[in-house]
Every structure is written in structure tokens, then in C-alpha cells.
Amino acid sequence: MAISLLSAITTLTRFSASSSSASINFKYIFSRRTVFTASPKRQKQRGCKIMASTSPVPETYSATQDKITAPYGSWKSPLTADVVSGASKRLGGTAVDGHGRLIWLESRPTEAGRGVLVKEPAKAGDEPSDITPKEYAVRTTAQEYGGGAFRIFGDTVIFSNYKDQRLYKHSIDSKDSSPLPITPDYGEPLVSYADGIFDPRFNRYVTVREDRRQDALNSTTEIVAIGLNGQNIQEPKVLVSGSDFYAFPRMDPRGERMAWIEWHHPNMPWDKAELWVGYISENGDVYKRVCVAGFDPTIVESPTEPKWSSKGELFFVTDRKNGFWNLHKWIESNNEVLAIYSLDAEFSRPLWVFGINSYEIIQSHGEKNLIACSYRQNGRSYLGILDDFGHSLSLLDIPFTDIDNITLGNDCLYVEGASGVQPSSVAKVTLDDHKLKAVDFKVVWSSSPDTLKYKSYFSLPELIEFPTEVPGQKAYAYYYPPSNPIYQASPEEKPPLLVKSHGGPTSEARGILNLSIQYWTSRGWAFVDVNYGGSTGYGREFRERLLGRWGIVDVNDCCSCATFLVGSGKADEKRLCITGGSAGGYTTLAALAFRDTFKAGASLYGVADLSMLRAETHKFESRYIDNLVGSEKDYYEKSPINFVDKFSCPIILFQGLEDKVVPPDQARKIYKALKENGLPVALVEYEGEQHGFRKAENIKFTLEQQMVFFARVVGHFDVADEIIPIKIDNFD
């Protein structure tokens, strides 16, 4: 099937949008090497107007100047696709070395998504320096989504190298040293490691290992120990095995006990998990173990993030009783669990990736521990200091409204966060002597350091609550109105709306500065990021709305949100579009197949056939969809591929050819069916991309092609950017 489709599929590794627009209106990229030119007459007949604007757009604009009246969607913006794709680095974690310097992992789109460890400069004003040599990339493919790819101990880092998935030991300070492998070479990258921790007692590295040598779709996951003593590489020693999945192996300060999280099919770690503690013998084995949380069948809970204090007390997060992830403490003497502070808020998040770190124990004196923690409540994050003895919480006043991980520094916290005007960043938060107030806040790393010069173009997120199809039930979203200091639309016109359905689906839309969203709003689009039933951040009850109802609740809520915004006068009912990636791509396709709310859609590595997904996806999610979908009948009736005759509007598809989560055949299957059914459809495939696009040129191309696709098929405005559209089957 792949060979027969190649003539109609755009397969790209790098593409330049430059063209000579003086002689033609636009070009169609139809195959890898063939370029077709469309006549101006046909363009007019289709109502498609693609313009190439060459006049520069100012990055700032005086508020005293009169605005230009122009149709929504046609506005010029300095936030180009080049700016979006090249500016946003991804953060893969933070740590502090033995000298108290910050170390971070950043993924660089301009280097094909290569993960690089970077060291904070020793002197203020100096430039940060790369730790990772150019021939290495720090990234693990454990459970496909990775995370927890490195660990710092003193001046040593252990990291996972992307190409071969082996672990390497490297000196942070030595510029001349090369990374040394510490795990065996199995010939292929079939064994991955993640979420490791140093064990000084035995001079070893304890980590989660995923072994795919016997079966790529049914890997074996264990907790193993890797010796750091000699030059000879030994096979890792298995410490804990027998469960389907493991995470968070954490040693106590004396190396005598190890905590970990495990869970079993068919559960995901946020459905039901167990927290265990194993006792370490003199030869380094786990000789006894006790289940701390998750063993009681009358209590449904999903413990996560175990952590030992300097005194050897075990803390963790779980959602027992109130259904929200709250901090708890283990009383070892009688195997009792105590809640430290109860709040209808989430002190952790779903374990999609390894290495989550939502809290840090910053001080331990006597019976008192001070814990820096973050939590989410009603659509925003908070940072606070929790006193476990007094059961009190003191909030820290910082600019971030969204917080991910926290890393403890010397008399400070390094906080990964963002806000509506601040992109994903790391801030150094200095505390007072009592560790209860923030006395200084300084951004030390930014995913997009130059974004503030575009501030006048930013659309600020508005948290909205809208009614669902269930009477009395609400869902949530972040609405971004069109925003451009130079342009305005006529009072009679309503903006086109792009509805985004987030991935997961057990995940959450966040109201933070995202240049991909600002790309749309600065051109005159309204944009809404929906937290449908099943999203996280609102407790277990809200999260479980999707169990057995994926393809129903999420679809209904996205449609209800769009309808709500139309009724509020914030969107044009005739120009409603929807987009989503992965699980969000499935919601997009299901909404287009089973509802008539939207007029066009874009699916990024989305699911079209649920049965195919179940048969081909990786182990971590192989039983996930059973809980979400339901019966065999549901698998058929909720798969958009089985109802292509119900699609009635144009669709564009984007797919990575190395995607193991949603294999390429999903996109090809829906593309072929829709093409044969006569619907306008286009498919873009990217070589070298997996689940989610990391290369700057592909991020750019995807963004631009969505924009021009919607402009052509929805109509009523000219795109101001110079974009060469790909061919749309059954349309061009």
C-alpha cells in the first residue's frame, strides 16, 4: 500500500518555501520531486487566494497609530513559522551539580531535535557551555515517550545516548574527556534506560530498564543496578522484576532501602499503581519488600513520586480519599500512610514521561520538614512551602502561572514554568532565611529568549468554563482572541476559530505562551485549547469521565466549546476548524466523522483505526485504550476509518514515518479512504520523525500548511505569508 500511495503523498525531509511569486500565484508540491503549477483561473474558481506579502512587519507598533481594517485571517505578523519553529527549544529536565551550578537538558529544533546537556556559567555574564559532545544526543526511548534521560552526581553525569540507547558516564568539568559507556552494546538500540539514581553505598547506578530484544511490542521492564567500579562492562544486575512497569527507583540516604512505583496491565499509572519499599542486603540485593500504598482493594489510588528525606522518611503523592494527588508520608513502624495536607488540587501529574519532580524537601529539622511543592487548581499552578509538622502551606508569589518540575539548589529553587506572557522557562527563586518567602525571581533559561519583542502581538489566554451535553456538567478551555496591534476586523465579521484537542488523552491544555498558538491569533484567528472530560488537572472524577467513552465525551466537549464560543459572539459558525495531535488527532477525526460542527480539520499523527492501534502500539499503551474505548463493538463503531462516508469536509494529515506509537499506516489508511470517497484530503509524511515533530523545518512546514489549507478550503480571506501550498486531492 505504501508504494501505491507514494505518488500522492508529500514525503519531506527538508523543504524551502522560497519561490518566485512574480510569474505565478502558487505551486503545488505533489510528490517528492514533481512540482505542478496551478492556473490563476482555477484558483479563482475555487475561491482560494494565496498571497505573497513581501513588505516587512514591525515587531512593535505604536498604540497611537490607527489600525488597519482587514479580514480576520489575512493579517500580517512578524511571528512567522520560522520564528516559531526555530525559537522554541524543549526542556528535558534540570539538575544541580556538586558546585551548585544548574544543569539542564534542552532539545534543539535547529539541530534536528538533538538533546544537549548545558551547564550554567561559573561567572555572571558568561555564556552557558554545552556538556554533551556533538556526536552524542541525550534522549531515552523507554516507553517511547522517554524522560529521565540523565542524572547528576557531584561532577559526574550518567546519560542515555539516543543513537544506541546505551548509558554513558561523563565528567561535567573535564573538557577533554569523552563519555564512557557503562552498559553492554547489544548491536541495536533495543534496550533503553530511564529514571536512574546513584547508589553510593555500592558505587552503582540503579535505573529502570526496558528490554525489547525478545519482543518489540511486549518489552520486559525491570529495575536494574549497573556497576561503576571497573573498566569492564558487565550485564546489569536485576533488583526488581515481575511487574509490567516500574518507575521512580529511589534510594534512602544510607542505601538500605529503595522505594519504587509499579503497575500492571490493564492499568495506566494514573489509574491504579503501587508504592513498594525494598530492603537492601549486604550484597546489594532486595531481600525483603513491603507494599506501602495501592495494596488495599477498597482504596483506589495511584501513588507517584516517592522521595526520601535526609532523615530517611518516605514522602510520596497519591490520590486516595479525595481523588486529588496530595502529599502523603509513610510511617514505617506500623506501615501507615498519613496525609500531610489535603486540598482539592493536583500536586503531581500523569506519568507519561519519566523524571517528574513536583516537589523537593528543602529542610529537615527535628520532627519538621519544609517541602517546596507545586500544585494545579482551577486551571493554574501555584508554588508553595509546606510544613509537614504544622500541616500549613505558604504560597510563594512568583510570575509563573504554570509550573512543571522543581529542582533544589543552594538556598534557592530552580522552577520550570511559564505564563501567558512567559514561554517555557527555568527561574531561580531565592528564598528568605526562613524558607517561607521568595525574595528574588530570575529567569536563567528560556525556550524562546527573544519572544518578548513580540509582546504587543500576544493574545492572552482566557480560562473559560462551558456547559457540556450532560446537564449541570462543565468542562474547561483556554480561549485566545485574535490579537494584532496593527490590524482589526470590521465590526460585522466574526473570526474563524481553530479548536485544539490535546493529546493523551489523559493530559491537559495549559494557558501559557505558546508561539504556535500566537502564530494563529496574530493573523486574525481565534484559538481555543480544550480541556475536555478526561483531562487532568481537575481530579480523578473529571479524569475518569473518558473511561469507556473516548470518542464521545472528548468529541462532544470540543463541539460544545465551539458552539459556546459561537453563541458568545467570539467565532464564525461557518469557519470552525479543529486540529489535534496523537489522541487529539483521533478526537479531530472522530469529530469530523460523527459530528457536523466543523468545516475542516488537521490531524497530526492521529488515530483513525482503534483496532489497528491496539494491535500495533507499544506495550505502555497497549491496554490503555481498552479502558478508554470499551467493547469490541465500540472499537468498530468509534473508529473513523469505518465511517468514511460520514466525513463531509476537507482534512489534512501529517505523519512521522518512524512513529511507533501511532504507526504511519493509520494516516495512510484514512488518506486513501477519504481520497477514494471524493473528499478534499492531503497527506504529508516526514522521514526521520517519530511521535511528534522535532525538526525545525518540519515544525515550520506543518504550521504553514495547516494555515494555508484552512485558508483555501474555508475561504473568505487571503493569507499574508508567502506559502507554497501542497496539492489537495479532490480539490485541485
Side-chain angles (χ1 to χ4, degrees), residues 53-61 75-80 454 457 484-487 522-523 720-721:
S53 175
T54 57
S55 58
V57 185
E59 295 167 356
T60 59
Y61 195 74
W75 302 348
K76 299 177 185 178
S77 171
L79 284 164
T80 64
Y454 306 109
Y457 288 83
N484 189 306
I486 301 177
Y487 293 94
S522 64
R523 285 163 174 74
D721 303 82

Side-chain angles (χ1 to χ4, degrees), residues 677-689:
N677 211 40
L679 275 179
V681 62
L683 170 62
V684 178
E685 290 187 325
Y686 295 123
E687 293 179 346
E689 292 283 18

Side-chain angles (χ1 to χ4, degrees), residues 115-190:
V116 181
L117 286 167
V118 184
K119 179 173 59 177
E120 179 185 23
K123 297 180 181 179
D126 290 349
E127 291 295 317
S129 57
D130 290 357
I131 298 172
T132 310
K134 292 185 180 299
E135 59 270 26
Y136 294 87
V138 182
R139 182 182 167 195
T140 176
T141 60
Q143 290 182 180
E144 294 300 327
Y145 298 109
F150 74 99
R151 181 71 67 175
I152 304 290
F153 186 74
D155 65 349
T156 299
V157 59
I158 302 291
F159 71 90
S160 174
N161 185 45
Y162 175 58
K163 185 177 181 180
D164 58 12
Q165 286 299 290
R166 298 175 73 186
L167 289 180
Y168 287 77
K169 180 181 177 182
H170 191 207
S171 172
I172 293 173
D173 295 319
S174 177
K175 296 182 179 179
D176 299 325
S177 68
S178 297
L180 298 175
I182 61 171
T183 53
D185 182 359
Y186 298 111
E188 294 182 80
L190 297 175

Side-chain angles (χ1 to χ4, degrees), residues 272-290:
K272 195 175 190 307
E274 297 171 359
L275 168 60
W276 287 80
V277 169
Y279 294 83
I280 310 299
S281 67
E282 291 299 323
N283 64 358
D285 293 324
V286 176
Y287 72 91
K288 184 179 74 172
R289 63 183 71 183
V290 58

